[in-house]
Amino acid sequence: MLFTLAAASLIRHRTRTLLAILGVAVSAAMLLDMVMLSSGLRESFRGLLQTQGFQLRVAPKGTLPFDTDATIRNADSLLALVRARPGVIAVSPVLGGQLHVPTATGAVTSSVLGIIPRVEGDYEVLAGRQPAAPDEMVANQRLLDALRLQLGDTLRGAAGYDAQLRSLSGERTLRIVGIARFIYMAADQKGAAVPIETLRRMQGADSDDKVSIAMIRLAAGVNVDSERVAIERLLPRVTVISIAEALNQVDQRLSYFRQLAVILGSVSLVVGFLLVTTLVTVSVNERVGEIAVMRAIGVHRRRIVLQIVMESGAMMLVAAPLGLLLGLVTARYLNSILARFPGVPAKLDFFLFQPSAAWTALGLLALSGVLAGVYPSWRSASLPIALTLRQEAVG
Amino acid sequence: MSTVVDVRDLVRDYPMGEERVAALRGVSFQVDAGDYVAIVGPSGCGKSTLLNLLGVIDRPTSGTVSINGERVERLSDARATEFRLMRIGFVFQRFYLMQALSARENVELPLAEAGLVGAARRARAMALLEYVGLAKRERHRPSQLSGGEQQRVAIARALANAPALLLADEPTGELDARTGREMIALFERLNADGTTIVVVTHDEDLARAAKRVIHMRDGSIVGDERAR
Ligand SMILES: Nc1ncnc2c1ncn2[C@@H]1O[C@H](COP(=O)(O)OP(=O)(O)OP(=O)(O)O)[C@@H](O)[C@H]1O
Ligand SMILES: [Mg+2]
């Protein structure tokens, strides 16, 4: 009976119902996106840090990995100490630098990483293989495209370039043996990797025995935090960062994002709430006569509220999946835009779909939809009955 | 014979800006079970105001209203609602059926509210439609029924929970003479079957059919006569 009445009132105003559903779906989508944004970047970053299975990162004291040009000196002997620890499976040193490749029109400049191919954790080889000899390298597609080179080609690259003198330093012939995708590089960034000894030699005597960072893989069951403290004690001139610590740092830097997401999310929730309240108020005001009649023949106030909440609930039920779909589509679109931002790792997602996020968003919305129905319906069910009937009879 | 309605010193004022309009100026009367009372009087004399107070959809300024021995003028909203549902049947001049519901569903509405479910509810609604001669129209919507038919559905709805008192405010007001006469016959049959009825009307035929006629003027009772 209540159901029939609720359905009838929704169907009687088909267009209005549809528009309301669309409106709620849009605000649901917005809310979902904001919930996805607020936690997505962090979760995605965590995933990124975890992909290669290195739990700890060693950086020059007081810096974050690749935060500055600072490097760790005497790295090889220091890292040997780390490698000797029983809980450590592998240590992967990385030296950052630039690779300048002269071309007919000038020079192409790319980021280059010096790594140990056997333990590196910075890229995936998409085609070809890892460097096996000192004069072998991998490059990403961006760099190959810029140089119009292919797998198997050789190039002449330099570690230093003086723009004024137009002179290169540390030149070397390298053969491209693999095409790689660099995990921490931006989509538009040109990248290459060579064995760390090769890069050191190219950079000159100054770079001997240096690394920018090193990544440490621990054996299963090793307590990450106590190992971190132990290594830091072992190497007083470095900072050792666990994934949790790195995420903390990221959190601090991203708090702006999260605040934005929380504010915009709340706004869309409020908009959805107001939308449903408006609709319910309009639809209830149209029916004050009908409601007064129901009250006069003995229908309880709570039943009238229930009927109207059922109406808004039904709209929510349709709007929610629609909003979910819409939210996912827009999130994907926005992600693809943001991924093109300079300096953003291509694999980083700003909007990460997590079922819990979806439930949070839809739950909040459903709750607000129900609450939105309660007040106007309770108010109209509380109007003085005789007076309302008289006014309706006149009007 | 038991008393169904006992009204004492009933006053109802409506505030109108600074002034107060006195719609009822101290009305007292009783109605016995099984009686059939018509309330008549010029427009604006307070008939509807009185009926609304008997139907517990309005509250008096002062005075008391007892229905079936229960004081109802100060009941809480929930208790008043329950009282209307189980003890009062209200028939309106303009029928006031739910447009979205069929004839049978309209009759089922107060039954459902009273907690009756399924086949029992449907059977009771059908019996009531049968009683008012509309069994064949159970599936019709109000918009597919004539005025007289709608009023019969409204009467069936009012009788749903076997009320102690049936109230009707100008039940023939929207009907033509012939349909009005049918309605008068239905009320007589209802009363003969034991229903206590109080009806407000301008319709002289309807008033003549009642056993007792109360005359009102300017918020007071000015005459009370027993017809037969
Ligand atoms: N809500 C209200 N506010 C102010 N005055 C009211 C209100 N309701 C009724 N009145 C006044 O109270 C008086 C009695 O009204 P009531 O409706 O009871 O008359 P009635 O006898 O039923 O008239 P009718 O035969 O035209 O239906 C009238 O003067 C009317 O204007
Ligand atoms: Mg009246």
Side-chain angles (χ1 to χ4, degrees):
Chain A
M1 195 79 51
L2 282 185
F3 196 75
T4 318
L5 282 169
S9 111
L10 289 178
I11 292 166
R12 190 164 43 188
H13 301 288
R14 240 169 264 120
T15 320
R16 182 203 293 172
T17 305
L18 273 179
L19 286 174
I21 286 175
L22 276 181
V24 172
V26 167
S27 87
M30 178 90 173
L31 180 61
L32 177 66
D33 281 353
M34 290 307 134
V35 173
M36 281 166 74
L37 182 62
S38 71
S39 63
L41 202 48
R42 180 178 203 279
E43 288 310 306
S44 168
F45 201 75
R46 179 209 298 281
L48 215 59
L49 290 178
Q50 280 172 342
T51 32
Q52 307 304 89
F54 292 96
Q55 293 90 340
L56 294 176
R57 280 159 177 76
V58 176
K61 186 119 198 149
T63 69
L64 288 175
F66 284 120
D67 221 24
T68 63
D69 284 337
T71 50
I72 305 170
R73 300 183 163 279
N74 300 326
D76 288 352
S77 53
L78 295 179
L79 293 180
L81 290 177
V82 175
R83 206 173 283 117
R85 292 185 61 80
V88 173
I89 293 180
V91 175
S92 173
V94 182
L95 177 63
Q98 290 197 314
L99 184 68
H100 306 277
V101 183
T103 61
T105 51
V108 170
T109 299
S110 156
S111 303
V112 65
L113 299 177
I115 44 81
I116 297 175
R118 191 168 36 81
V119 291
E120 65 77 24
D122 280 274
Y123 57 84
E124 305 164 334
V125 177
L126 302 178
R129 56 171 174 81
Q130 289 277 15
D135 60 348
E136 290 182 344
M137 66 175 282
V138 296
N140 69 6
Q141 195 61 51
R142 280 260 168 190
L143 178 58
L144 292 183
D145 290 347
L147 294 172
R148 300 221 179 79
L149 290 178
Q150 288 177 355
L151 194 61
D153 289 345
T154 55
L155 58 80
R156 189 115 184 108
Y161 176 65
D162 188 320
Q164 244 154 11
L165 298 175
R166 302 268 165 89
S167 67
L168 296 164
S169 58
E171 272 189 287
R172 179 150 189 166
T173 302
L174 296 163
R175 201 156 71 84
I176 301 161
V177 297
I179 300 176
R181 180 164 60 207
F182 289 86
I183 295 165
Y184 304 103
M185 283 188 192
D188 60 347
Q189 201 175 347
K190 295 185 277 288
V194 297
I196 188 166
E197 287 311 329
T198 307
L199 187 60
R200 281 173 172 170
R201 215 148 295 152
M202 288 168 73
Q203 289 184 349
D206 195 35
S207 283
D208 267 358
D209 217 15
K210 266 191 191 169
V211 302
S212 301
I213 70 155
M215 300 187 288
I216 299 171
R217 185 178 294 150
L218 299 177
V222 173
N223 183 316
V224 175
D225 226 45
S226 53
E227 191 66 16
R228 184 187 71 78
V229 173
I231 294 175
E232 220 162 24
R233 202 169 300 139
L234 196 64
L235 315 177
R237 289 188 1 252
V238 304
T239 301
V240 184
I241 305 165
S242 63
I243 289 180
E245 176 61 21
L247 285 178
N248 268 343
Q249 308 266 9
V250 168
D251 270 352
Q252 281 170 18
R253 292 178 178 212
L254 293 183
S255 67
Y256 167 73
F257 253 109
R258 260 200 322 282
Q259 280 167 19
L260 190 82
V262 166
I263 291 169
L264 291 183
S266 314
V267 167
S268 54
L269 193 64
V270 169
V271 167
F273 180 82
L274 289 181
L275 194 67
V276 178
T277 314
T278 307
L279 186 87
V280 172
T281 306
V282 166
S283 117
V284 150
N285 284 350
E286 262 169 5
R287 282 189 276 171
V288 285
E290 193 178 294
I291 290 170
V293 171
M294 286 173 74
R295 300 277 292 128
I297 64 170
V299 177
H300 283 91
R301 223 159 21 181
R302 57 170 189 276
R303 292 270 251 167
I304 286 164
V305 172
L306 187 67
Q307 182 202 322
I308 288 159
V309 165
M310 264 165 65
E311 288 173 24
S312 51
M315 284 192 291
M316 289 294 166
L317 219 63
V318 179
L322 212 63
L324 187 67
L325 205 72
L326 204 64
L328 290 179
V329 171
T330 42
R332 174 167 297 191
Y333 174 67
L334 289 173
N335 242 343
S336 72
I337 292 180
L338 291 171
R340 276 183 244 136
F341 261 50
V344 174
K347 286 188 82 176
L348 200 61
D349 285 324
F350 285 77
F351 299 85
L352 191 68
F353 179 77
Q354 295 163 283
S356 65
W359 291 128
T360 309
L362 298 183
L364 276 174
L365 198 77
L367 190 72
S368 74
V370 167
L371 288 181
V374 170
Y375 175 66
S377 55
W378 182 264
R379 208 191 42 191
S380 65
S382 304
L383 291 174
I385 299 165
L387 185 67
T388 309
L389 283 178
R390 179 184 294 268
Q391 283 163 350
E392 288 299 301
V394 169
Chain B
M1 198 173 261
S2 67
T3 304
V4 174
V5 176
D6 187 355
V7 168
R8 289 175 197 249
D9 307 320
L10 210 53
V11 173
R12 178 65 163 107
D13 293 341
Y14 292 107
M16 286 286 282
E18 296 288 288
E19 317 254 310
R20 296 181 76 79
V21 178
L24 292 179
R25 307 165 180 269
V27 168
S28 302
F29 68 100
Q30 283 87 42
V31 177
D32 292 331
D35 211 345
Y36 180 2
V37 181
I39 300 175
V40 298
S43 184
C45 70
K47 305 182 295 293
S48 296
T49 302
L50 177 58
L51 205 70
N52 290 343
L53 291 170
L54 295 183
V56 205
I57 59 174
D58 191 15
R59 287 182 171 203
T61 307
S62 66
T64 62
V65 181
S66 301
I67 312 272
N68 242 18
E70 192 172 339
R71 288 277 294 273
V72 297
E73 76 275 3
R74 293 280 174 255
L75 288 180
S76 71
D77 181 81
R79 300 271 311 276
T81 306
E82 192 65 25
F83 192 87
R84 290 195 294 272
L85 180 67
M86 302 312 292
R87 298 280 173 265
I88 308 279
F90 218 124
V91 176
F92 307 92
Q93 177 172 352
R94 294 194 173 179
F95 329 133
Y96 288 151
L97 298 175
M98 299 293 126
Q99 296 301 318
L101 300 180
S102 68
R104 176 165 56 78
E105 287 168 334
N106 264 288
V107 180
E108 281 187 65
L109 190 59
L111 294 170
E113 190 65 16
L116 213 61
V117 290
R121 185 169 82 199
R122 203 163 314 132
R124 167 96 181 127
M126 281 312 291
L128 287 160
L129 284 176
E130 189 106 35
Y131 186 86
V132 298
L134 277 181
K136 290 210 181 74
R137 297 277 193 272
E138 60 157 324
R139 283 179 212 284
H140 286 57
R141 292 291 161 90
S143 60
Q144 298 164 324
L145 296 172
S146 73
E149 288 169 334
Q150 288 186 58
Q151 196 59 299
R152 285 161 191 270
V153 175
I155 291 169
R157 178 179 70 181
L159 295 172
N161 291 315
L165 179 62
L166 182 68
L167 303 172
D169 196 348
E170 314 262 14
T172 58
E174 300 268 309
L175 306 176
D176 63 29
R178 207 179 64 102
T179 321
R181 276 196 296 280
E182 286 171 17
M183 210 53 58
I184 292 167
L186 178 55
F187 274 97
E188 286 198 281
R189 178 151 61 94
L190 268 170
N191 181 242
D193 290 343
T195 309
T196 311
I197 301 175
V198 175
V199 58
V200 163
T201 188
H202 281 123
D203 184 340
E204 285 178 16
D205 290 340
L206 179 54
R208 214 172 298 128
K211 292 176 181 167
R212 177 182 167 197
V213 180
I214 294 177
H215 294 267
M216 287 183 69
R217 187 174 301 262
D218 204 13
S220 304
I221 293 179
V222 294
D224 191 341
E225 52 184 345
R226 198 152 276 285
R228 286 162 276 174

